[in-house]
Amino acid sequence: MVRKNPNKMKEEFYRIKMLSATSIMEMYQYTYSEDGSNKKNTEEQIVLNFNEFLIDVEGGEASYKNESKETIILTLGDVLAFLTGGDVEPPQGFDCIPKCFFNHAEPERKLEVSTCFLSITFPVHASLMTAKTFNGEFIYAMRSGFNFSKS
């Protein structure tokens, strides 16, 4: 197949999927508390803020100031790199479904990301309950992450 259609196979191997806020939102499997519970309502608000943050990033509206006081505008590639370790989605998709968890037991913790297991765990804390404070917490976590390239 490769020898008969080298250009077609090259396209398949190097195809880069266009990132969008929606594509990142939809790649996650969310692990919610019981339907109708106050916990689930809180978790849904955090996911809504996550989605709004991704939309802000997609629109070029999420930024921070670096140590040199320069404004750095985040991209969806930056967010994906923080979440998965890669700034583009692999052509054949990820090896596992990325998962989203909520930590009610330790609300004082910061959000945690595992690029090995493709998971994100949000602490259920007041700082993630409004869009503005969520954005600040998420950007702080990104910048505090190991080797974030735009620090």
Side-chain angles (χ1 to χ4, degrees):
M1 177 84 173
V2 175
R3 287 188 179 140
K4 289 181 181 179
N5 300 300
N7 290 332
K8 181 67 177 163
M9 294 309 293
K10 184 177 179 182
E11 287 175 23
E12 189 63 29
F13 285 120
Y14 292 105
R15 180 175 27 131
I16 296 177
K17 297 177 184 178
M18 292 299 298
L19 275 182
S20 67
T22 302
S23 68
I24 294 175
M25 288 182 249
E26 290 178 349
M27 75 180 190
Y28 277 91
Q29 178 181 41
Y30 298 90
T31 305
Y32 290 111
S33 294
E34 185 178 333
D35 283 342
S37 67
N38 288 338
K39 285 182 176 183
K40 183 170 183 185
N41 292 340
T42 303
E43 294 161 357
E44 287 176 333
Q45 182 61 49
I46 291 170
V47 170
L48 175 66
N49 291 336
F50 178 46
N51 293 346
E52 288 179 7
F53 172 72
L54 293 171
I55 290 167
D56 287 349
V57 171
E58 184 175 52
E61 299 174 17
S63 63
Y64 65 91
K65 299 243 187 241
N66 67 9
E67 290 77 20
S68 303
K69 306 295 184 215
E70 298 169 306
T71 299
I72 305 297
I73 298 173
L74 294 173
T75 67
L76 290 173
D78 295 332
V79 175
L80 191 66
F82 172 66
L83 296 171
T84 68
D87 61 357
V88 296
E89 188 175 344
Q92 303 303 318
F94 293 105
D95 290 338
C96 61
I97 297 171
K99 294 186 173 42
C100 177
F101 302 101
F102 303 92
N103 184 349
H104 291 269
E106 301 172 292
E108 70 284 350
R109 293 185 67 105
K110 296 293 183 186
L111 68 94
E112 298 174 15
V113 170
S114 170
T115 57
C116 295
F117 297 107
L118 298 181
S119 69
I120 184 168
T121 302
F122 291 110
V124 179
H125 187 268
S127 64
L128 299 181
M129 297 308 296
T130 67
K132 184 176 182 178
T133 55
F134 179 96
N135 290 7
E137 287 291 318
F138 201 94
I139 291 170
Y140 175 81
M142 286 181 69
R143 293 192 63 215
S144 299
F146 180 71
N147 283 337
F148 184 64
S149 63
K150 293 191 174 189
S151 59

